[in-house]
Amino acid sequence: MKGFIQTLRNIWSIKELRDKLIFTFVLVLVYRFGTHVSLPAINMVEVGNILEIYKNNGGNQQATGLLGLLSSFTGGAFSKASIFALGIMPYISASIVVQLMGLAIPYIQKLQKEGESGRKTVNQITRWLTILICLIQAPAYLTSITQVFLPVEQFRTAYLVDPNNVMLFWVPSIIILISGTIFAMWMGEKITDKGIGNGISILIMVGILAGFPTAFVQEIGVQMGDSGKGLIMMFVEIVAWLLVIILCIMLTVAVRKVPVQYVSRTKSGSLRSITNAARQYIPLKVNAAGVMPIIFAQALMFIPGLLVRSETTTNTFWAGFSQVFSWQYNLLFALLIIVFTFFYTAITIPINQMADDLKRNGGLIPRVKPGKETADFLDDVLSKITLPGAIYLALIAVLPAIVKIIGLTATDKFALFFGGTSLLIMVGVLLDTVQQINTYLLNHHYDGLMQSRLSRNPS
């Protein structure tokens, strides 16, 4: 404990690091404050949480679960009709689209290879695409509020302005929602540039963490109540949750080290020698795709809910695809994650470029010829480690359903923290932030924040 306090003092003593942490903290506070500011045309004091109202009025369970997950990414802004209701997700969607466009559009491919200038142009394209996505999502969000969550006929007091008035309700609300997303995007980019960690990921993580205290207190209340299983079960839950976090950390940092040997020239410069050549490694991550396969799969899992309505197919096999915690839904979800893991890994890991760079820099993999054979070897290794990584990722993604089905948790909200996108994002962002802090500490000859291999870059 004394060593940890000393480490915190060391962090505070580095002016540059201190300024970055304060800057990040201030922008996070601004973002959290904005999630509690509702749209001017809606009086949320009268109605409270729109998702709770939707659920109490017989809303579809599958829709409630998926929309609740979306609300957790925005820190509850979605369910409070906040100015940040769309959150940072339109920017994430735009980034994914631009990345996929790089596979098919030569102009985007060219920009991605032009270094800093190309990166700025790609970022500008991403921002404009974000606005375009917001122009679609903002009216859809307002429509869902006025027609599904808070129907005007039942919740007339929830509206300070008549929802049928285009100029007074729709136009200002759409402009505010788009401005909220752009402002959140700007804060995320500023945190990345002048703060600590990846700003966009930090804003998402903060939104997820904002719902944890409420979920945890609610779980304790249910388990310690008359219908609960008592203190021992609560202790078992906490231990199981900590074990899942350890599994997520292992998945995030696991790498396959491919040995590389760099050829060195002799003093005369005419001959090459590999006898005393420097030996290094190429770290191929077991989960190179991160949480993107889960995000892709969740986007497609809205389709079964639209095609199969539980109200018309009760007690049938197909009805299970509209229930978030059913085995049918999660089996399909896991299969999609495995498929998308291979797909996203294939499009983001430039195997041929890695082989060309090795050959150009005089590097070689022992017993493998440079060029095409090296590319084939790396592709084979990546395929072998991606399969167990994809299965591992799918297992963690469906863990919330597993713990709910076996009765380990009493509430749906706390079950969501047992895996899935939420936990993987939190673990990944925290590890990345710790690595950056460690870099500053080690550069100033201090001990790292965490004396563990998990907090250091693999080499």
Side-chain angles (χ1 to χ4, degrees), residues 86-274:
L86 300 184
I88 204 68
M89 297 311 292
Y91 179 77
I92 300 295
S93 301
S95 301
I96 295 172
V97 171
V98 171
Q99 197 168 25
L100 294 177
M101 287 168 58
L103 299 176
I105 301 177
Y107 175 69
I108 302 296
Q109 293 177 355
K110 181 181 177 181
L111 290 175
Q112 291 174 341
K113 297 177 181 179
E114 288 183 355
E116 184 65 21
S117 61
R119 186 183 67 85
K120 290 182 178 179
T121 305
V122 171
N123 288 342
Q124 199 65 24
I125 295 173
T126 305
R127 291 166 186 155
W128 283 108
L129 186 57
T130 300
I131 296 176
L132 179 62
I133 292 175
C134 287
L135 285 172
I136 300 173
Q137 290 188 354
Y141 175 72
L142 293 174
T143 301
S144 66
I145 289 180
T146 56
Q147 296 185 8
V148 180
F149 295 111
L150 302 174
V152 181
E153 295 77 12
Q154 301 178 32
F155 300 94
R156 177 67 64 177
T157 58
Y159 298 97
L160 301 176
V161 179
D162 183 7
N164 296 320
N165 192 316
V166 176
M167 295 306 297
L168 294 181
F169 180 84
W170 287 87
V171 173
S173 297
I174 290 174
I175 293 175
I176 291 172
L177 287 172
I178 295 175
S179 301
T181 295
I182 294 174
F183 184 55
M185 176 181 67
W186 177 84
M187 286 192 294
E189 292 179 348
K190 287 301 178 183
I191 290 175
T192 302
D193 294 338
K194 299 182 179 180
I196 196 78
N198 183 288
I200 302 297
S201 299
I202 286 178
L203 293 183
I204 296 176
M205 182 195 70
V206 169
I208 294 171
L209 285 175
F212 178 75
T214 302
F216 187 68
V217 171
Q218 184 180 356
E219 182 72 14
I220 292 177
V222 175
Q223 290 288 20
M224 302 302 293
D226 296 335
S227 59
K229 299 180 181 179
L231 183 62
I232 296 179
M233 191 61 187
M234 196 67 219
F235 176 76
V236 171
E237 279 188 57
I238 295 175
V239 172
W241 183 61
L242 293 176
L243 289 176
V244 172
I245 292 178
I246 294 175
L247 292 176
C248 287
I249 294 174
M250 292 172 60
L251 176 63
T252 303
V253 302
V255 296
R256 165 71 158 83
K257 295 181 178 180
V258 179
V260 176
Q261 200 167 29
Y262 285 92
V263 179
S264 60
R265 289 183 178 274
T266 61
K267 291 183 179 180
S268 62
S270 58
L271 298 175
R272 291 177 177 264
S273 172
I274 62 172

Side-chain angles (χ1 to χ4, degrees), residues 276-288:
N276 298 318
R279 194 176 185 85
Q280 299 180 14
Y281 297 92
I282 298 177
L284 297 178
K285 298 191 70 173
V286 173
N287 180 30

